[in-house]
Amino acid sequence: MDRTDRLARMYRRFGEVEAAGTSPLYERVAVALSESDEALRALGAVPGRRRHPTVVLAALHDLALAGRAPELAAAYAAADGDAAAGAALDTLVRMTDSVASLAARRTTRPDETGHGPVLYPAVAEAARRVGAAAVGLIDVVCSAGLNLQVDRVGITYSNGQSLGDPSSPVRMTASLVGDRPLPTRSMPEVVTRIGVDIDPLDVTDADDARWLRACLGPDRPERSARLEAEMALAATAPPLLLRGDAVAMLPDAVARVPADALPVVTTTWALSRLPPEGRRRFLDRLEEAAADRPVAWVSAEGVGVAPTIPTLGDRRASGHSIIGLAVLDRSARHTEALGRCWSRGRLLSWLAER
């Protein structure tokens, strides 16, 4: 099978399997590109590892949002699949160099919004365990650092419990599974917000903010509205963004948290992007950072992904994630599974004792 055949199969599979049911526009566009010899030749100009549909479609969307592909923008706005397919093909062929340039220098961003329902009670629990009156939040592989605003959002759970700021313009919801309620304690004051990423995005930068928007499908209005609200909130208190290898920079990030605050490191579906040795290195850096002070680590990762976090006997690749808490203080390390969650935190089962 040659490169062109592989590209055609990749784009068809993306449209018919991955985009089907979630983004009708991308389903139609991806299939159309897979059937076009012109499109497949243009895709050959994109750097090898950047030819995946998520990257190329985001690059096309970025051009539309920037006003450089008005016909594609109009088709997306009208949610017209046939028109979008034709305009995307035309844009890719006509602006191949621009698409390739964007794809080469940009990284598609995971869905980092909406994690507050998982993070808020876990960070509050970390502070309680240590007796901390203030915390400094450090988000690893932070993208734009939207998780760092967790204390500033309003969260409502299906059992009627509420956490966070009830007056916040950013509202999040989650359904609880099981009969154990969440702890109702509030997070202490957040005195530092630090994001670490190899290529962090600054929501106050127009190009970065547009790329964040471009990484969402154009026919996902609810997700787009949530992203807009979270970006607007983050822009009022921008975090400190550290650029570089997130694991290697962890001790430096912890050192930037004031001495009278508890550093709380958060990872949400981030460690799965690291090989096993990278995850072990992450734990080593955490222990290094905790040599002279307590450090907490709150995680939401797939079963068995977060090193030392109990798996509760669950099998790997079981479709849900474990909410973990590790408290490290010099040579001591206490780890616990606080709960399980599904659908990136939209369903949550709390297990820890209150």
Side-chain angles (χ1 to χ4, degrees), residues 85-120:
L89 172 57
D90 175 73
T91 302
L92 175 61
V93 172
R94 182 171 48 85
M95 304 181 70
T96 301
D97 289 346
S98 296
V99 172
S101 176
L102 276 169
R105 66 184 177 86
R106 289 292 195 181
T107 302
T108 51
R109 298 293 157 163
D111 180 7
E112 65 168 334
T113 68
H115 297 168
V118 167
L119 287 176
Y120 191 105

Side-chain angles (χ1 to χ4, degrees), residues 14-297:
F14 179 86
E16 294 180 344
V17 177
E18 298 182 45
T22 61
S23 178
L25 283 178
Y26 275 179
E27 178 182 4
R28 182 70 187 88
V29 168
V31 171
L33 296 182
S34 77
E35 296 173 342
S36 166
D37 292 339
E38 281 188 298
L40 294 172
R41 282 195 296 271
L43 289 170
V46 177
R49 294 186 176 182
R50 316 302 301 157
R51 293 174 187 148
H52 193 275
T54 56
V55 183
V56 171
L57 291 175
L60 289 169
H61 194 191
D62 186 279
L63 293 172
L65 292 172
R68 299 175 62 190
E71 291 186 2
L72 181 59
Y76 281 164
D80 185 331
D82 290 337
L89 172 57
D90 175 73
T91 302
L92 175 61
V93 172
R94 182 171 48 85
M95 304 181 70
T96 301
D97 289 346
S98 296
V99 172
S101 176
L102 276 169
R105 66 184 177 86
R106 289 292 195 181
T107 302
T108 51
R109 298 293 157 163
D111 180 7
E112 65 168 334
T113 68
H115 297 168
V118 167
L119 287 176
Y120 191 105
V123 173
E125 182 64 17
R128 184 188 74 83
R129 298 285 177 90
V130 179
V135 299
L137 298 178
I138 302 168
D139 195 28
V140 174
V141 191
C142 69
S143 186
L146 301 183
N147 285 332
L148 294 166
Q149 307 297 325
V150 59
D151 59 311
R152 304 178 67 212
V153 305
I155 306 165
T156 302
Y157 298 90
S158 58
N159 68 345
Q161 285 185 263
S162 296
L163 294 173
D165 181 359
S167 64
S168 175
V170 176
R171 312 297 304 172
M172 298 181 184
T173 60
S175 297
L176 292 181
V177 178
D179 55 6
R180 177 166 290 180
L182 289 164
T184 57
R185 65 185 62 86
S186 298
M187 281 177 57
E189 179 186 7
V190 177
V191 297
T192 309
R193 306 174 199 273
I194 301 172
V196 189
D197 199 301
I198 194 70
D199 184 26
L201 296 179
D202 179 357
V203 297
T204 65
D205 178 89
D207 289 344
D208 283 357
R210 187 177 64 248
W211 181 250
L212 274 175
R213 297 182 181 102
C215 289
L216 291 180
D219 51 356
R220 307 296 298 278
E222 290 185 4
R223 285 180 60 189
S224 295
R226 187 175 69 196
L227 175 63
E228 292 295 335
E230 291 194 65
M231 287 199 300
L233 183 66
T236 65
L240 171 64
L241 298 175
L242 302 180
R243 183 181 301 272
D245 181 89
V247 175
M249 298 186 69
L250 193 53
D252 176 55
V254 169
R256 293 172 183 261
V257 176
D260 58 351
L262 171 69
V264 180
V265 177
T266 61
T267 65
T268 51
W269 299 281
L271 297 186
S272 59
R273 282 170 267 163
L274 300 178
E277 60 270 21
R279 300 169 198 172
R280 290 191 293 269
R281 192 164 60 94
F282 168 81
L283 187 61
D284 290 342
R285 295 290 81 76
L286 264 181
E287 292 178 337
E288 177 184 331
D292 300 312
R293 65 191 298 185
V295 176
W297 167 35

